């Protein structure tokens, strides 16, 4: 091998000339790297070259070749190579070169240890760690870290020896590097510790925690950013392993991080990393956080204080500042902890912040409120009356930046709470118009443009939840005002205006028709853009708006625009803009729904576009396989030697440094995966909308979708399983319509299903069960629950006939309702949920949707469901007596629905259900009382155990009487329905002449239309059998 040429090529790769770099890379790959001698040549450069950047480059390339070529090196050469590497690392003066050499040594040792070779390495390294020379200790400690990281299994039987060493080196009095290396080594050993079997190791690691905190403190005080980051990475790593490893000092660690995050004298980067760690604690150790008294409240209050540091010129796109990281903590708190622990403290502070003289506090409170709305919408909806007057005042604040923050907060509130704010819709629209007018005076002012975009964002989020009267009153004015911004010089303003118009159209539906032609003409100018980042972003927004307009005005009115839009959408896929591709997919979903799949030849193009997306290969995150040369090319420019040195470190650390964003999912997610998530969802929409028109494409669709059930990205898993279930529902409904037989509840099936439905059911049920049992992602399980529930209700029991599906489904539902499912546990925990009190609304949603599956089973099985109900009765009874109103009301509703489907099969359960339902009829929560009235009516109507429920008739009637006067929560409707079911069951036990006038006065029902059925049945039966009705009632009924 030409050693001189190898060196020349390595040096050439650093020249700031792209063509020369490419040529050097090609020659190295072709003529050198395939040969074992290249490894020896690179190692020689690593230990002997005079330039540090060349030595580093050689070491990183050597590291890539060790596994491939070390075994091919002659045995008589290896001892001298090993010895030279150790000698070189001791004399190496450049710390980063030492790290590169350490990794090469570790890679070789991993292979040698397997073959029983290089036995003298560890004694030599341990001698270095005990040396009086600081540099030797730094070298030794980093080699230890590299060895443990590269081959942790080798050290499984040597943990006690390692921990004995670490107890000394983490206290090194002279070297911060030794202490940091030790922390990283401890982190690398965590995977070897079995907390159930090795209590001594657990205890030892726990005692390292305060020492590691001291290391972090020292790095912070020294202002050593690199070391600070390494310390935080170690603490982050602990969150991925058994919580027992941190248990003893977890509270102290969280408190330390919180104090560090709120210390305004500390560096912003340090504070941001502390806040990032806290956000991950809330996500991955939520039960631990919940179990620390007042910690949730303290996290919320102090995060709010940090958020109030938000400056007027803070960049919305910069998410690594302390205020932005604090907002992320607030978001995590709302999503993962019970509202009473975190939302109540926010609301306690809200008024003082909203009326503060400090603009930062005024901004902070409304941004925090909006952020929490997604995580706890139900709880916040109950507080609207107290917070909306303050929010409205902030929308009129003299400070423009405060008004902007209030608008941003209102966007989030509108997404989840638009209907809850109905009382304030008029005032909201008035303040929006005021802000629009104030911002329209100077189009060139960037702050004004932000206000306009935010107002359009509020309109978009609120539009579909606004009362019809409000839209009738303000719709014309809003359409003209917003439409004018389609000619604004700022493309982002145009995008926001398009989004608002689309939302208005979707809200007012056919009332938008008078504005359709003018709006589409204005938007059409932007749907043909084919280049320019801003132009394609605008095209994307316009594409989305047009889809929503189509949904609003309907197929006939939009028919003039649909074909040109479809042609343009297919071209959009080839413009290289990810967002435009995604909005194109969504447009297809909207148009397929509007036209029920009747899109002519374009339907084939839609399926082809979606299939092509799902078949594209996903690019992994770069791992530096080809070293610095490719990194330089990838970034489009060459580096000077100093930059190359930094780049080298980046490459060397690629496999170890968990970016905070990537940590959220524990694995990196490619851009293609995000796009495929959208495509999978849209494919399900199109299949279901097209019905029989999509039949030619379903087989291939299922073939492509099924593998995504095992995708590493939870978004793809979730949408894949949903699309499989919708495909099954589509085929089932089409076949049912063709057969003319409506499904009937119960197994075995009353009518034989087609082989196509049976085969698809087998695929869907098989794909579902494993994911449903094991997936630890909350959203995935929630969506599976929704898919199964809706399909059972729509398609009946056919899929329950798949082998063991019913038994396994029931078992999974029990684990979810009892909060023992993997998605309900802290990471790597199995027994913490029992001690937790309450849950976040997202956690409850998992249970809520599982209960909906239970109702789906009842719907599909009918009277046979009684056997399954018996296994759930105690779990439901526990929810009936919950301290949380939402849990009680939901459980009562589940009882009611299940009883209605079971029919008389509920009879054996009458006594166990009646008493708790009677108790709930006096519940403090109106929703629970309303559901209880409905449930008792169902129970009495269907049960044949009159000996149990008849003695309670008077008590039931006395509790129903006041409910007939309460207009909230459908109480009047459900109480009236209950009374009528009682009459239908036993007319002789109800004072008809007393109750009937009250019920008739409530007609027609205006909220719960389902309860009209028992009421009119009751009146009909009373007339039919001439049961006593006074003349007035008979007349009113007849009229």
């Amino acid at each position: 091998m030409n050693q001189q040429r190898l060196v020349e090529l390595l040096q050439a790769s650093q020249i700031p000339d792209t063509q020369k770099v490419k040529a050097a890379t090609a020659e190295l790959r072709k003529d050198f790297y395939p040969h074992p001698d290249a490894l020896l040549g690179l190692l020689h450069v690593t230990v002997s070259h005079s330039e540090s950047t060349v030595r580093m480059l050689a070491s990183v390339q050597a590291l890539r070749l060790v596994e491939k070529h070390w075994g091919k090196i002659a045995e008589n050469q290896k001892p001298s190579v090993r010895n030279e590497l150790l000698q070189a690392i001791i004399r190496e003066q450049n710390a980063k070169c030492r790290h590169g050499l350490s990794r090469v040594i570790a890679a070789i040792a991993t292979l040698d240890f397997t073959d029983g070779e290089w036995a003298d390495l560890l004694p030599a390294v341990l001698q270095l760690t005990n040396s009086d020379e600081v540099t030797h200790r730094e070298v030794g400690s980093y080699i230890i870290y590299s060895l443990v990281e590269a081959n942790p299994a080798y050290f499984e039987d040597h943990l006690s020896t390692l921990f004995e060493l670490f107890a000394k080196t983490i206290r090194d009095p002279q070297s911060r590097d030794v202490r940091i290396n030790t922390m990283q080594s401890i982190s690398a050993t965590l995977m070897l510790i079995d907390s159930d079997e090795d209590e001594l190791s657990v205890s030892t690691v726990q005692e390292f925690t305060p020492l590691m905190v001291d290391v972090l403190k020292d790095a912070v005080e020294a202002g050593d950013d690199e070391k600070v980051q390494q310390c935080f990475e170690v603490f982050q790593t602990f969150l991925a392993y058994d919580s027992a490893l941190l248990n003893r000092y977890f509270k102290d660690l969280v408190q330390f991080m919180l104090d560090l995050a709120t210390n305004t004298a500390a560096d912003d980067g340090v504070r941001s990393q502390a806040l990032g760690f806290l956000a991950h604690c809330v996500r991955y150790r939520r039960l631990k956080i919940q179990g620390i008294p007042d910690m949730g409240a303290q996290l919320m209050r102090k995060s709010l204080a940090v958020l109030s540091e938000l400056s007027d010129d803070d960049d919305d796109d910069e998410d690594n500042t302390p205020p932005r990281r604090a907002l992320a903590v607030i978001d995590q708190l709302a999503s993962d902890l019970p509202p009473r622990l975190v939302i109540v403290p926010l609301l306690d502070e809200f008024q003082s912040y909203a009326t503060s003289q400090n603009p930062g506090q005024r901004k902070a409170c409304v941004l925090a409120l909006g952020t929490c709305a997604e995580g706890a919408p139900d709880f916040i909806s109950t507080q609207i009356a107290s917070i909306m007057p303050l929010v409205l005042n902030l929308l009129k604040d003299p400070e423009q930046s405060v008004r902007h923050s209030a608008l941003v907060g209102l966007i989030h509130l509108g997404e989840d709470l638009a209907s809850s704010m109905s009382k304030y819709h008029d005032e909201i629209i008035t303040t929006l118009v005021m802000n629009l007018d104030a911002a329209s005076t100077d189009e060139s002012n960037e702050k004004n443009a932000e206000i306009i975009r935010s107002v359009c964002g509020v309109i978009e989020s609120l539009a579909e939840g606004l009362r019809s009267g409000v839209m009738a009153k303000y719709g014309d004015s809003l359409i003209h005002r917003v439409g004018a911004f389609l000619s604004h010089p700022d493309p982002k303003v145009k995008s926001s205006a398009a989004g608002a118009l689309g939302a208005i159209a979707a809200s007012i539906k056919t009332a938008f028709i008078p504005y359709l032609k003018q709006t589409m003409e204005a938007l059409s100018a932007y749907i043909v853009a084919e280049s320019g980042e801003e132009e394609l972003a605008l095209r994307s927004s316009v594409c989305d708006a047009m889809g929503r307009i189509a949904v609003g005005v309907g197929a006939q009115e939009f028919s003039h625009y649909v074909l040109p839009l479809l042609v343009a959408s297919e071209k959009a896929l080839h413009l290289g803009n990810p967002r435009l591709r995604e909005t194109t997919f969504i447009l297809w979903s909207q148009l397929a729904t509007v036209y029920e799949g009747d899109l002519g030849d374009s339907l084939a193009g839609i399926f082809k576009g979606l299939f092509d997306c799902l078949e594209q290969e996903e690019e992994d995150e770069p791992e530096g396989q080809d070293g610095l040369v490719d990194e330089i090319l990838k970034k489009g420019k060459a580096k000077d030697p100093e930059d190359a040195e930094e780049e080298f470190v980046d490459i060397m650390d690629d496999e170890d440094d968990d970016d905070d964003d990537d940590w959220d999912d524990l694995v990196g997610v490619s851009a293609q995966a995000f796009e495929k998530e959208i495509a999978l969802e849209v494919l399900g929409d199109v299949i279901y909308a097209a019905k029989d028109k999509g039949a030619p494409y379903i087989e291939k669709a299922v073939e492509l979708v099924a593998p995504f059930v095992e995708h590493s990205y939870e978004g793809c898993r979730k949408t894949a399983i949903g699309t499989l279930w919708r495909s099954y529902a589509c085929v089932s409904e089409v076949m049912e319509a063709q057969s003319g037989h409506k499904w009937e509840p119960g197994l075995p099936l009353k009518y034989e299903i087609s082989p196509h439905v049976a085969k698809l059911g087998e695929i869907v049920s098989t794909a579902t069960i494993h994911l449903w049992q094991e997936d630890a992602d909350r959203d995935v399980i929630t969506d599976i629950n929704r898919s199964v529930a809706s399909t059972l209700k729509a398609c009946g029991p056919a899929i329950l006939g798949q082998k063991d599906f019913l038994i396994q489904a029931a078992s999974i539902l029990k684990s979810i309702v009892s909060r023992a499912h993997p998605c309900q546990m802290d990471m790597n925990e199995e027994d913490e949920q029992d001690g937790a009190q309450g849950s976040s609304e997202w956690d409850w949603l998992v249970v809520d949707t599982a209960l909906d599956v239970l109702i789906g089973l009842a719907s599909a099985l009918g009277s046979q469901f009684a056997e399954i109900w018996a296994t759930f009765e105690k779990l439901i009874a526990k929810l009936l007596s919950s301290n949380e109103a939402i849990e009680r009301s939901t459980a009562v509703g589940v009882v009611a629905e299940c009883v209605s489907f079971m029919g008389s099969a509920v009879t054996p359960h009458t006594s166990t259900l009646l008493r708790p339902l009677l108790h709930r009829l006096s519940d403090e929560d109106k929703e629970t009382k309303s559901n209880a009235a409905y449930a008792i009516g169902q129970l009495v109507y269907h049960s044949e155990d009159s000996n149990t429920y008849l003695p309670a008739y008077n008590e039931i009637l006395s509790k129903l009487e006041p409910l007939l006067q309460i207009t909230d929560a459908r109480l009047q409707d459900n109480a009236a329905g209950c009374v009528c079911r009682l009459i239908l069951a036993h007319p002789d036990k109800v004072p008809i002449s007393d109750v009937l006038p009250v019920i008739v006065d409530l007609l027609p029902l205006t909220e719960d239309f389902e309860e009209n059925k028992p009421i009119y049945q009751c009146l009909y039966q009373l007339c039919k059998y001439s049961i006593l009705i006074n003349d007035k009632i008979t007349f009113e009924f007849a009229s």
Side-chain angles (χ1 to χ4, degrees):
M1 187 191 72
N2 189 333
Q3 183 70 20
Q4 183 178 348
R5 182 58 180 161
L6 175 63
V7 174
E8 289 172 353
L9 290 171
L10 291 173
Q11 290 173 319
S13 67
Q14 300 174 80
I15 298 172
D17 184 323
T18 301
Q19 293 306 314
K20 290 184 178 180
V21 170
K22 284 183 177 180
T25 302
E27 187 173 346
L28 284 167
R29 288 177 173 173
K30 179 183 177 182
D31 298 336
F32 288 86
Y33 294 161
H35 308 292
D37 283 351
L39 174 59
L40 293 177
L42 288 168
L43 292 177
H44 179 70
V45 175
T46 299
V47 302
S48 64
H49 201 275
S50 59
E51 296 179 25
S52 62
T53 54
V54 175
R55 295 200 302 277
M56 285 191 295
L57 202 54
S59 66
V60 75
Q61 297 300 336
L63 182 62
R64 311 302 182 210
L65 300 181
V66 166
E67 185 173 1
K68 181 179 180 180
H69 291 319
W70 180 249
K72 301 172 186 175
I73 302 299
E75 290 300 320
N76 62 351
Q77 289 182 282
K78 288 182 178 180
S80 62
V81 172
R82 296 173 185 133
N83 182 62
E84 182 55 32
L85 286 173
L86 284 177
Q87 294 301 317
I89 198 172
I90 292 171
R91 65 175 180 264
E92 176 62 66
Q93 297 300 304
N94 186 292
K96 291 172 182 175
C97 287
R98 290 203 299 267
H99 291 176
L101 273 167
S102 294
R103 290 179 181 273
V104 171
I105 290 169
I108 292 173
T110 296
L111 301 176
D112 282 354
F113 288 171
T114 302
D115 297 331
E117 299 178 352
W118 210 352
D120 57 348
L121 174 63
L122 280 178
V125 173
L126 290 174
Q127 185 176 352
L128 287 174
T129 62
N130 288 296
S131 171
D132 292 333
E133 291 287 333
V134 172
T135 304
H136 289 183
R137 297 201 300 276
E138 290 173 351
V139 169
S141 60
Y142 200 87
I143 294 176
I144 289 289
Y145 165 52
S146 300
L147 288 168
V148 177
E149 182 191 42
N151 187 17
Y154 178 81
F155 295 92
E156 190 168 6
D157 296 328
H158 306 286
L159 282 177
S160 59
T161 302
L162 285 178
F163 290 157
E164 184 179 348
L165 172 66
F166 297 160
K168 178 181 178 182
T169 55
I170 200 168
R171 296 181 172 92
D172 192 288
Q174 295 174 286
S175 174
R176 184 176 298 119
D177 279 345
V178 172
R179 299 193 292 271
I180 294 290
N181 295 344
T182 303
M183 277 188 69
Q184 293 177 309
S185 297
I186 293 170
S187 172
T189 65
L190 297 181
M191 68 174 64
L192 302 175
I193 301 173
D194 185 336
S195 60
D196 294 326
E197 302 292 333
D198 191 356
E199 293 182 5
L200 180 60
S201 291
V202 171
S203 179
T204 302
V205 171
Q206 286 175 343
E207 292 305 322
F208 285 137
T209 305
L211 298 173
M212 292 191 296
V213 169
D214 289 340
V215 176
L216 174 57
K217 285 180 181 178
D218 173 69
V220 170
E221 290 169 2
D224 191 330
D225 293 342
E226 181 183 359
K227 298 294 189 293
V228 167
Q229 183 176 349
Q230 290 169 336
C231 289
F232 274 111
E233 286 167 358
V234 169
F235 284 119
Q236 295 276 22
T237 302
F238 268 82
L239 296 179
Y241 293 97
D242 197 315
S243 67
L245 299 169
L246 279 179
N247 269 0
R248 188 175 301 173
Y249 296 101
F250 182 72
K251 176 183 176 181
D252 297 331
L253 180 60
V254 171
Q255 189 65 58
F256 166 74
M257 293 292 187
L258 187 54
D259 292 341
L260 184 58
T262 54
N263 180 5
T264 55
D267 177 76
D268 279 356
V270 173
R271 298 176 67 203
S272 294
Q273 291 182 83
L275 286 161
F277 177 78
L278 291 171
H280 294 144
C281 283
V282 175
R283 179 171 183 180
Y284 297 113
R285 292 289 181 267
R286 64 185 189 273
L287 298 178
K288 294 291 186 187
I289 294 287
Q290 191 172 329
I292 301 174
D294 197 46
M295 182 52 73
Q298 192 180 166
L299 283 165
M300 176 58 78
R301 285 193 293 266
K302 293 195 174 183
S303 296
L304 191 60
V306 175
L307 181 56
S308 68
E309 299 171 26
L310 202 64
S311 62
D312 288 350
D313 57 355
D314 187 90
D315 186 352
D316 289 347
D317 296 328
E318 176 54 66
D319 62 358
N320 203 31
T321 64
R324 293 292 170 189
R325 284 300 182 97
L327 197 59
V329 175
I330 290 170
D331 184 26
Q332 208 69 60
L333 288 167
S335 297
D336 286 303
L337 295 187
R340 61 181 174 79
L341 295 185
V342 292
I343 309 300
V344 170
L346 169 62
L347 297 179
D348 287 344
E349 301 285 338
F350 195 81
Q351 182 167 0
S352 64
Y353 268 66
T355 57
S356 168
Q357 294 299 308
N358 179 355
Q361 290 193 333
R362 301 202 297 276
K363 289 189 289 187
C365 67
V366 72
L367 288 171
L369 180 68
T371 298
C372 289
E374 183 182 0
D378 291 338
F379 184 84
I380 291 179
S381 69
T382 66
Q383 309 297 314
I384 288 294
S386 63
I387 59 180
M388 274 311 297
L390 295 167
V391 173
L392 289 167
N393 284 338
L394 293 171
L395 289 169
K396 306 168 191 173
D397 197 275
E399 293 280 346
Q400 188 181 53
S401 63
V402 176
R403 296 199 304 275
H404 177 246
S405 294
L407 289 166
V408 172
L410 190 57
I411 290 172
H412 294 295
L413 289 172
E415 289 169 354
D416 296 286
L417 301 169
S419 58
S420 300
M421 296 187 288
S422 59
K423 180 181 175 181
Y424 303 94
H425 284 171
D426 280 276
E427 292 177 80
I428 290 172
I429 298 298
T430 301
T431 57
L432 293 182
V433 171
M434 178 196 75
N435 276 279
L436 272 184
D437 290 344
S440 300
T441 55
D442 181 4
E443 289 187 342
S444 63
N445 186 301
E446 187 176 336
K447 296 297 182 183
N448 283 342
E450 287 180 352
I451 292 290
I452 295 170
R453 294 203 308 269
S454 298
V455 170
C456 290
V458 174
I459 293 171
E460 185 173 0
S461 71
L462 277 177
E464 295 192 45
L466 290 173
R467 300 193 316 272
S468 57
V470 173
M471 290 307 294
K473 182 177 179 181
Y474 298 102
D476 182 75
S477 173
L478 287 176
I479 291 169
H480 283 102
R481 287 173 184 273
V482 173
F485 293 120
L486 291 177
S487 59
H488 193 281
D490 185 340
K492 292 181 180 178
V493 171
K494 293 175 185 175
S495 294
S496 299
L501 287 171
I504 292 171
S507 172
I508 65 176
K509 302 190 184 309
T510 55
F512 192 79
I513 292 173
Y515 312 98
L516 177 62
K517 185 175 184 295
Q518 184 180 357
T519 302
M520 290 299 292
E521 287 176 352
L523 292 174
S524 295
Y526 307 116
I527 202 68
V528 293
E530 295 187 356
S531 61
E533 186 175 342
E534 288 185 337
E535 289 77 7
L536 291 177
L538 175 56
R539 177 173 177 170
S540 175
S541 297
V542 168
C543 178
D544 182 62
M546 286 182 169
R548 298 176 80 174
I549 291 170
V551 172
V553 301
Q556 183 175 347
E557 296 294 336
F558 199 77
S559 59
H560 178 69
Y561 308 100
V562 65
L563 289 180
L565 186 54
L566 283 168
V567 171
S569 72
E570 291 190 45
K571 291 181 180 178
L573 295 182
H574 308 291
L575 298 178
N577 186 281
R579 185 184 169 203
L580 182 56
R581 287 173 61 85
E582 291 173 8
T583 53
T584 297
F585 294 157
I586 295 168
L587 173 70
W588 289 347
S589 168
Q590 293 163 326
L591 294 179
T593 302
V594 170
Y595 289 92
E596 297 180 349
D598 190 9
L599 297 172
D601 294 339
S602 293
L603 186 62
I606 288 173
F607 275 106
K608 181 181 184 305
L610 295 171
F611 291 164
D612 288 348
C613 174
L614 297 181
E615 289 176 317
Q616 67 180 324
E617 292 186 9
E618 292 182 31
E619 296 177 5
D620 296 327
E621 293 299 312
E623 295 180 356
Q625 299 97 314
D626 299 312
L628 180 58
V629 173
D630 284 278
E631 283 295 305
I632 293 171
L633 291 175
K634 186 163 68 72
K635 294 181 180 294
K637 59 181 180 179
K639 310 282 190 201
D640 64 32
E642 290 186 8
D643 290 335
E645 181 175 336
E646 294 301 319
E647 190 64 48
F648 171 82
V649 176
D650 290 341
I651 295 170
M652 294 301 292
D653 291 339
D654 267 350
E655 297 176 2
D656 316 297
D657 295 345
D658 289 322
D659 181 87
D660 283 338
D661 292 332
D662 288 345
W663 174 271
D664 284 342
D665 302 303
L666 295 182
V667 292
V669 181
S670 68
Q672 289 88 349
F674 286 121
E675 185 177 295
K676 289 178 180 181
E677 177 186 11
I678 304 295
L680 287 163
E681 181 79 20
V682 168
L683 182 59
D685 294 340
V686 174
I687 287 172
Y688 194 77
K691 291 292 191 290
D692 57 329
K693 303 178 193 70
Y697 310 100
I698 287 183
E699 183 176 352
K700 182 172 182 180
V702 171
E703 179 185 331
L704 288 175
V705 170
F708 284 93
V709 172
E710 298 180 352
H711 199 279
S712 60
Y713 172 44
E714 67 276 6
C716 286
R717 298 198 302 274
K718 178 177 69 173
T719 50
I721 206 74
T723 292
L724 287 176
W725 278 91
R726 278 186 290 171
S727 300
Y728 173 82
C730 173
V731 174
S732 179
E733 289 173 14
V734 169
M735 293 297 183
E736 183 177 87
Q738 291 176 354
S739 71
H741 296 301
K742 172 67 178 172
W743 65 267
E744 296 181 16
L747 292 172
L749 301 177
K750 306 298 188 294
Y751 304 103
E752 185 177 352
I753 60 173
S754 75
H756 296 293
V757 175
K759 180 62 178 176
L760 186 53
E762 180 184 356
I763 294 170
V764 173
S765 60
T766 302
T768 299
I769 284 299
H770 176 72
L771 194 65
W772 205 7
Q773 285 175 328
E774 302 293 336
D775 204 290
D777 186 86
R778 185 172 57 187
D779 292 342
V780 171
I781 301 303
T782 297
D783 262 50
I784 292 175
N785 292 344
R786 286 175 172 148
S787 295
V788 176
S790 63
T791 306
L792 288 173
K793 293 173 186 177
C795 304
I799 201 163
L800 299 178
Q802 295 294 332
K803 183 179 179 182
D804 295 333
F805 183 72
L806 177 57
I807 295 172
Q808 291 176 301
S811 174
I812 293 166
L813 293 176
K814 285 182 73 174
S815 72
I816 296 173
V817 176
S818 59
R819 293 177 169 90
H821 191 276
C823 78
Q824 296 164 304
M825 302 292 177
D826 274 353
M827 185 181 289
N828 299 307
E829 290 300 322
E830 297 180 355
D831 57 358
E832 290 196 44
Q833 184 66 54
D834 290 342
Q837 297 296 315
S839 59
S840 73
E841 290 186 15
W842 287 105
D843 287 329
W844 168 248
L845 192 59
V846 181
V847 179
D848 183 44
T849 52
L851 293 172
D852 201 34
V853 179
L854 204 60
I855 295 171
L857 289 173
S859 168
L861 294 172
S863 61
Q864 295 174 358
F865 178 74
E867 184 178 344
I868 292 176
W869 176 260
T871 66
F872 281 87
E873 196 164 28
K874 289 184 179 179
L875 291 173
I876 303 299
K878 186 176 180 180
L879 291 174
L880 287 171
S881 59
S882 169
N883 292 327
E884 303 289 337
I886 184 66
E887 297 186 7
R888 298 195 303 274
S889 65
T890 302
V892 174
V894 170
V895 170
E897 295 290 346
C898 290
V899 169
S900 72
F901 289 120
M902 277 191 284
S904 61
V906 76
T907 300
H909 306 284
T910 304
S911 59
T912 55
L913 289 175
L914 182 61
R915 188 47 51 189
L917 291 178
L918 273 172
H919 187 55
R920 297 280 74 90
L921 204 53
S922 302
D923 199 281
E924 61 185 20
D925 176 61
K926 291 179 181 178
E927 191 70 35
T928 302
K929 279 193 286 200
S930 182
N931 286 348
Y934 176 55
I936 286 176
Q938 292 287 357
L939 181 63
V940 169
Y941 183 74
H942 290 290
S943 174
E944 297 175 352
D945 187 4
S946 57
N947 290 334
T948 295
Y949 65 70
L950 275 178
Y953 251 50
N954 288 337
E955 183 182 355
I956 295 171
L957 290 169
S958 67
K959 290 187 175 186
L960 289 173
E961 183 178 3
L963 304 188
L964 291 166
Q965 311 304 319
I966 304 175
T967 57
D968 296 337
R970 311 174 322 284
L971 272 163
Q972 288 181 324
D973 296 7
N974 280 331
C978 182
V979 170
C980 289
R981 287 188 176 95
L982 264 61
I983 294 172
L984 287 169
H986 294 277
D988 57 317
K989 301 298 182 181
V990 180
I992 295 174
S993 59
D994 293 333
V995 302
L996 217 52
V998 179
I999 291 173
V1000 170
D1001 285 343
L1002 297 176
L1003 297 177
L1005 301 183
T1006 58
E1007 292 187 280
D1008 198 333
F1009 299 111
E1010 183 183 340
E1011 293 308 276
N1012 280 311
K1013 182 178 178 180
I1015 292 174
Y1016 286 110
Q1017 277 184 339
C1018 174
L1019 294 173
Y1020 173 76
Q1021 292 295 325
L1022 291 176
C1023 290
K1024 180 178 179 180
Y1025 295 105
S1026 302
I1027 297 176
L1028 179 64
I1029 306 180
N1030 64 45
D1031 292 340
K1032 179 175 182 296
I1033 294 175
T1034 305
F1035 173 77
E1036 290 183 357
F1037 180 44
S1039 64

